[in-house]
Short mmCIF file of all heavy atoms in Angstrom, two decimals:
data_model
loop_
_atom_site.label_atom_id
_atom_site.label_comp_id
_atom_site.label_asym_id
_atom_site.label_seq_id
_atom_site.Cartn_x
_atom_site.Cartn_y
_atom_site.Cartn_z
N GLU A 16 -1.60 -10.12 -13.43
CA GLU A 16 -0.52 -9.14 -13.29
C GLU A 16 0.38 -9.12 -14.52
O GLU A 16 0.79 -8.06 -14.99
CB GLU A 16 0.28 -9.45 -12.02
CG GLU A 16 -0.51 -9.18 -10.75
CD GLU A 16 0.00 -9.92 -9.52
OE1 GLU A 16 1.04 -10.62 -9.63
OE2 GLU A 16 -0.62 -9.81 -8.47
N GLN A 17 0.67 -10.31 -15.04
CA GLN A 17 1.52 -10.39 -16.24
C GLN A 17 0.85 -9.73 -17.44
O GLN A 17 1.52 -9.22 -18.34
CB GLN A 17 1.85 -11.85 -16.55
CG GLN A 17 2.84 -12.49 -15.58
CD GLN A 17 3.05 -13.96 -15.83
OE1 GLN A 17 2.67 -14.49 -16.88
NE2 GLN A 17 3.68 -14.64 -14.88
N ARG A 18 -0.48 -9.74 -17.45
CA ARG A 18 -1.22 -9.15 -18.56
C ARG A 18 -1.54 -7.67 -18.32
O ARG A 18 -2.22 -7.05 -19.13
CB ARG A 18 -2.52 -9.93 -18.78
CG ARG A 18 -2.28 -11.40 -19.13
CD ARG A 18 -3.59 -12.16 -19.23
NE ARG A 18 -3.36 -13.60 -19.27
CZ ARG A 18 -4.31 -14.51 -19.48
NH1 ARG A 18 -5.56 -14.11 -19.66
NH2 ARG A 18 -4.01 -15.80 -19.50
N GLY A 19 -1.09 -7.16 -17.20
CA GLY A 19 -1.35 -5.76 -16.89
C GLY A 19 -2.78 -5.47 -16.49
O GLY A 19 -3.26 -4.34 -16.62
N ILE A 20 -3.49 -6.49 -16.00
CA ILE A 20 -4.88 -6.34 -15.59
C ILE A 20 -4.92 -6.11 -14.08
O ILE A 20 -4.42 -6.93 -13.30
CB ILE A 20 -5.71 -7.58 -15.96
CG1 ILE A 20 -5.73 -7.76 -17.48
CG2 ILE A 20 -7.13 -7.47 -15.41
CD1 ILE A 20 -6.38 -9.04 -17.94
N LYS A 21 -5.51 -5.01 -13.67
CA LYS A 21 -5.58 -4.68 -12.25
C LYS A 21 -6.61 -5.56 -11.54
O LYS A 21 -7.64 -5.90 -12.10
CB LYS A 21 -5.96 -3.21 -12.07
CG LYS A 21 -4.95 -2.22 -12.63
CD LYS A 21 -5.46 -0.80 -12.47
CE LYS A 21 -4.49 0.22 -13.06
NZ LYS A 21 -5.01 1.60 -12.95
N TRP A 22 -6.31 -5.90 -10.30
CA TRP A 22 -7.28 -6.62 -9.47
C TRP A 22 -7.24 -6.02 -8.07
O TRP A 22 -6.25 -5.40 -7.67
CB TRP A 22 -6.98 -8.11 -9.44
CG TRP A 22 -5.65 -8.46 -8.83
CD1 TRP A 22 -4.45 -8.62 -9.49
CD2 TRP A 22 -5.36 -8.68 -7.43
NE1 TRP A 22 -3.45 -8.91 -8.59
CE2 TRP A 22 -3.98 -8.96 -7.33
CE3 TRP A 22 -6.14 -8.66 -6.28
CZ2 TRP A 22 -3.36 -9.22 -6.11
CZ3 TRP A 22 -5.52 -8.92 -5.06
CH2 TRP A 22 -4.15 -9.19 -4.99
N GLY A 23 -8.32 -6.18 -7.36
CA GLY A 23 -8.37 -5.63 -6.01
C GLY A 23 -9.28 -6.46 -5.12
O GLY A 23 -9.82 -7.49 -5.53
N ILE A 24 -9.42 -6.01 -3.90
CA ILE A 24 -10.20 -6.72 -2.89
C ILE A 24 -11.24 -5.77 -2.31
O ILE A 24 -10.90 -4.65 -1.92
CB ILE A 24 -9.30 -7.24 -1.75
CG1 ILE A 24 -8.28 -8.24 -2.30
CG2 ILE A 24 -10.13 -7.86 -0.62
CD1 ILE A 24 -7.17 -8.59 -1.32
N VAL A 25 -12.49 -6.21 -2.29
CA VAL A 25 -13.56 -5.46 -1.62
C VAL A 25 -14.27 -6.42 -0.68
O VAL A 25 -14.84 -7.42 -1.13
CB VAL A 25 -14.56 -4.86 -2.62
CG1 VAL A 25 -15.64 -4.07 -1.88
CG2 VAL A 25 -13.86 -3.97 -3.63
N THR A 26 -14.22 -6.13 0.60
CA THR A 26 -14.79 -7.03 1.60
C THR A 26 -15.58 -6.22 2.62
O THR A 26 -15.33 -5.03 2.81
CB THR A 26 -13.68 -7.82 2.32
OG1 THR A 26 -14.24 -8.61 3.37
CG2 THR A 26 -12.62 -6.90 2.90
N ASN A 27 -16.52 -6.88 3.28
CA ASN A 27 -17.23 -6.24 4.38
C ASN A 27 -16.49 -6.39 5.70
O ASN A 27 -16.91 -5.84 6.73
CB ASN A 27 -18.65 -6.80 4.52
CG ASN A 27 -19.63 -6.15 3.56
OD1 ASN A 27 -19.28 -5.23 2.82
ND2 ASN A 27 -20.87 -6.62 3.56
N LYS A 28 -15.39 -7.13 5.69
CA LYS A 28 -14.56 -7.28 6.89
C LYS A 28 -13.93 -5.93 7.24
O LYS A 28 -13.44 -5.23 6.35
CB LYS A 28 -13.46 -8.32 6.60
CG LYS A 28 -12.70 -8.80 7.82
CD LYS A 28 -11.50 -9.65 7.41
CE LYS A 28 -11.82 -10.81 6.50
NZ LYS A 28 -12.50 -11.90 7.22
N PHE A 29 -13.96 -5.54 8.50
CA PHE A 29 -13.40 -4.25 8.91
C PHE A 29 -11.90 -4.22 8.66
O PHE A 29 -11.21 -5.24 8.67
CB PHE A 29 -13.68 -3.98 10.38
CG PHE A 29 -15.09 -3.52 10.66
CD1 PHE A 29 -16.04 -3.44 9.66
CD2 PHE A 29 -15.47 -3.15 11.95
CE1 PHE A 29 -17.34 -3.00 9.90
CE2 PHE A 29 -16.76 -2.73 12.22
CZ PHE A 29 -17.69 -2.64 11.20
N ALA A 30 -11.38 -3.01 8.45
CA ALA A 30 -9.97 -2.82 8.09
C ALA A 30 -9.02 -3.40 9.13
O ALA A 30 -7.95 -3.90 8.79
CB ALA A 30 -9.68 -1.34 7.89
N ARG A 31 -9.39 -3.38 10.41
CA ARG A 31 -8.50 -3.90 11.46
C ARG A 31 -8.24 -5.39 11.29
O ARG A 31 -7.23 -5.90 11.78
CB ARG A 31 -9.06 -3.61 12.84
CG ARG A 31 -10.31 -4.37 13.20
CD ARG A 31 -10.88 -3.92 14.54
NE ARG A 31 -10.64 -4.89 15.59
CZ ARG A 31 -11.55 -5.16 16.54
NH1 ARG A 31 -12.71 -4.52 16.56
NH2 ARG A 31 -11.28 -6.04 17.47
N PHE A 32 -9.15 -6.07 10.57
CA PHE A 32 -8.95 -7.48 10.27
C PHE A 32 -8.43 -7.67 8.83
O PHE A 32 -7.59 -8.53 8.57
CB PHE A 32 -10.26 -8.25 10.43
CG PHE A 32 -10.93 -8.04 11.75
CD1 PHE A 32 -12.16 -7.40 11.81
CD2 PHE A 32 -10.34 -8.45 12.93
CE1 PHE A 32 -12.79 -7.20 13.03
CE2 PHE A 32 -10.96 -8.25 14.16
CZ PHE A 32 -12.19 -7.62 14.21
N THR A 33 -8.97 -6.88 7.92
CA THR A 33 -8.62 -7.03 6.51
C THR A 33 -7.15 -6.79 6.23
O THR A 33 -6.47 -7.62 5.61
CB THR A 33 -9.45 -6.06 5.64
OG1 THR A 33 -10.84 -6.29 5.86
CG2 THR A 33 -9.13 -6.25 4.17
N LEU A 34 -6.65 -5.64 6.67
CA LEU A 34 -5.30 -5.23 6.27
C LEU A 34 -4.21 -6.18 6.79
O LEU A 34 -3.32 -6.57 6.02
CB LEU A 34 -5.05 -3.79 6.71
CG LEU A 34 -6.01 -2.76 6.08
CD1 LEU A 34 -5.68 -1.36 6.56
CD2 LEU A 34 -5.96 -2.83 4.55
N PRO A 35 -4.25 -6.61 8.06
CA PRO A 35 -3.24 -7.57 8.51
C PRO A 35 -3.33 -8.91 7.77
O PRO A 35 -2.31 -9.54 7.49
CB PRO A 35 -3.54 -7.75 10.00
CG PRO A 35 -4.30 -6.54 10.39
CD PRO A 35 -5.10 -6.16 9.18
N LEU A 36 -4.56 -9.34 7.46
CA LEU A 36 -4.74 -10.60 6.75
C LEU A 36 -4.19 -10.52 5.33
O LEU A 36 -3.46 -11.41 4.87
CB LEU A 36 -6.22 -10.98 6.73
CG LEU A 36 -6.59 -12.28 6.00
CD1 LEU A 36 -5.88 -13.47 6.63
CD2 LEU A 36 -8.09 -12.50 6.03
N VAL A 37 -4.51 -9.44 4.64
CA VAL A 37 -4.00 -9.25 3.27
C VAL A 37 -2.48 -9.18 3.27
O VAL A 37 -1.82 -9.75 2.39
CB VAL A 37 -4.63 -7.98 2.65
CG1 VAL A 37 -3.96 -7.63 1.33
CG2 VAL A 37 -6.13 -8.18 2.45
N GLN A 38 -1.92 -8.54 4.27
CA GLN A 38 -0.46 -8.45 4.37
C GLN A 38 0.15 -9.83 4.64
O GLN A 38 1.16 -10.20 4.04
CB GLN A 38 -0.07 -7.47 5.47
CG GLN A 38 1.44 -7.25 5.57
CD GLN A 38 1.79 -6.13 6.52
OE1 GLN A 38 0.94 -5.59 7.22
NE2 GLN A 38 3.06 -5.77 6.56
N ALA A 39 -0.47 -10.58 5.54
CA ALA A 39 0.05 -11.91 5.88
C ALA A 39 0.00 -12.85 4.67
O ALA A 39 0.84 -13.76 4.56
CB ALA A 39 -0.75 -12.50 7.03
N LEU A 40 -0.95 -12.64 3.78
CA LEU A 40 -1.06 -13.46 2.57
C LEU A 40 -0.20 -12.92 1.43
O LEU A 40 -0.28 -13.41 0.31
CB LEU A 40 -2.53 -13.53 2.14
CG LEU A 40 -3.46 -14.32 3.08
CD1 LEU A 40 -4.92 -14.13 2.67
CD2 LEU A 40 -3.10 -15.80 3.10
N ASN A 41 0.59 -11.88 1.73
CA ASN A 41 1.51 -11.28 0.75
C ASN A 41 0.78 -10.71 -0.48
O ASN A 41 1.26 -10.83 -1.61
CB ASN A 41 2.57 -12.31 0.30
CG ASN A 41 3.44 -12.76 1.45
OD1 ASN A 41 3.93 -11.94 2.23
ND2 ASN A 41 3.64 -14.06 1.58
N LEU A 42 -0.35 -10.08 -0.22
CA LEU A 42 -1.14 -9.50 -1.31
C LEU A 42 -1.14 -7.97 -1.29
O LEU A 42 -1.57 -7.35 -2.25
CB LEU A 42 -2.59 -10.00 -1.24
CG LEU A 42 -2.79 -11.51 -1.38
CD1 LEU A 42 -4.26 -11.86 -1.18
CD2 LEU A 42 -2.31 -12.01 -2.73
N SER A 43 -0.66 -7.38 -0.20
CA SER A 43 -0.78 -5.93 -0.03
C SER A 43 -0.16 -5.14 -1.17
O SER A 43 -0.74 -4.16 -1.65
CB SER A 43 -0.12 -5.51 1.29
OG SER A 43 -0.77 -6.10 2.39
N ASN A 44 1.01 -5.54 -1.60
CA ASN A 44 1.71 -4.79 -2.64
C ASN A 44 1.29 -5.18 -4.04
O ASN A 44 1.79 -4.62 -5.02
CB ASN A 44 3.23 -4.98 -2.48
CG ASN A 44 3.74 -4.40 -1.18
OD1 ASN A 44 3.21 -3.41 -0.69
ND2 ASN A 44 4.76 -5.03 -0.61
N ARG A 45 0.39 -6.14 -4.14
CA ARG A 45 -0.05 -6.61 -5.45
C ARG A 45 -1.42 -6.06 -5.84
O ARG A 45 -1.70 -5.85 -7.02
CB ARG A 45 -0.07 -8.13 -5.48
CG ARG A 45 1.29 -8.76 -5.22
CD ARG A 45 1.20 -10.26 -5.01
NE ARG A 45 0.68 -10.95 -6.18
CZ ARG A 45 0.42 -12.26 -6.21
NH1 ARG A 45 0.61 -13.00 -5.12
NH2 ARG A 45 -0.04 -12.82 -7.30
N ALA A 46 -2.26 -5.83 -4.86
CA ALA A 46 -3.63 -5.39 -5.13
C ALA A 46 -3.67 -3.92 -5.53
O ALA A 46 -2.98 -3.09 -4.94
CB ALA A 46 -4.51 -5.61 -3.90
N ALA A 47 -4.49 -3.61 -6.52
CA ALA A 47 -4.67 -2.21 -6.94
C ALA A 47 -5.46 -1.43 -5.89
O ALA A 47 -5.35 -0.21 -5.82
CB ALA A 47 -5.37 -2.16 -8.29
N CYS A 48 -6.24 -2.15 -5.10
CA CYS A 48 -7.01 -1.51 -4.03
C CYS A 48 -7.43 -2.57 -3.03
O CYS A 48 -7.60 -3.73 -3.37
CB CYS A 48 -8.26 -0.81 -4.60
SG CYS A 48 -9.38 -1.94 -5.45
#
């Protein structure tokens, strides 16, 4: 992030599980996708 390099998450986990987990880990606002 400090270097301006985008990163994201691609998983086979369904969104109903992925999105709450990513939010709980405080990554939602950091990931480019």
Side-chain angles (χ1 to χ4, degrees):
E16 291 159 4
Q17 288 175 14
R18 300 175 192 186
I20 298 173
K21 297 177 181 178
W22 62 268
I24 298 168
V25 181
T26 175
N27 277 357
K28 192 189 306 287
F29 282 4
R31 69 185 254 218
F32 308 115
T33 303
L34 299 180
L36 179 59
V37 171
Q38 184 172 7
L40 292 171
N41 297 313
L42 299 176
S43 298
N44 296 328
R45 299 170 62 185
C48 60

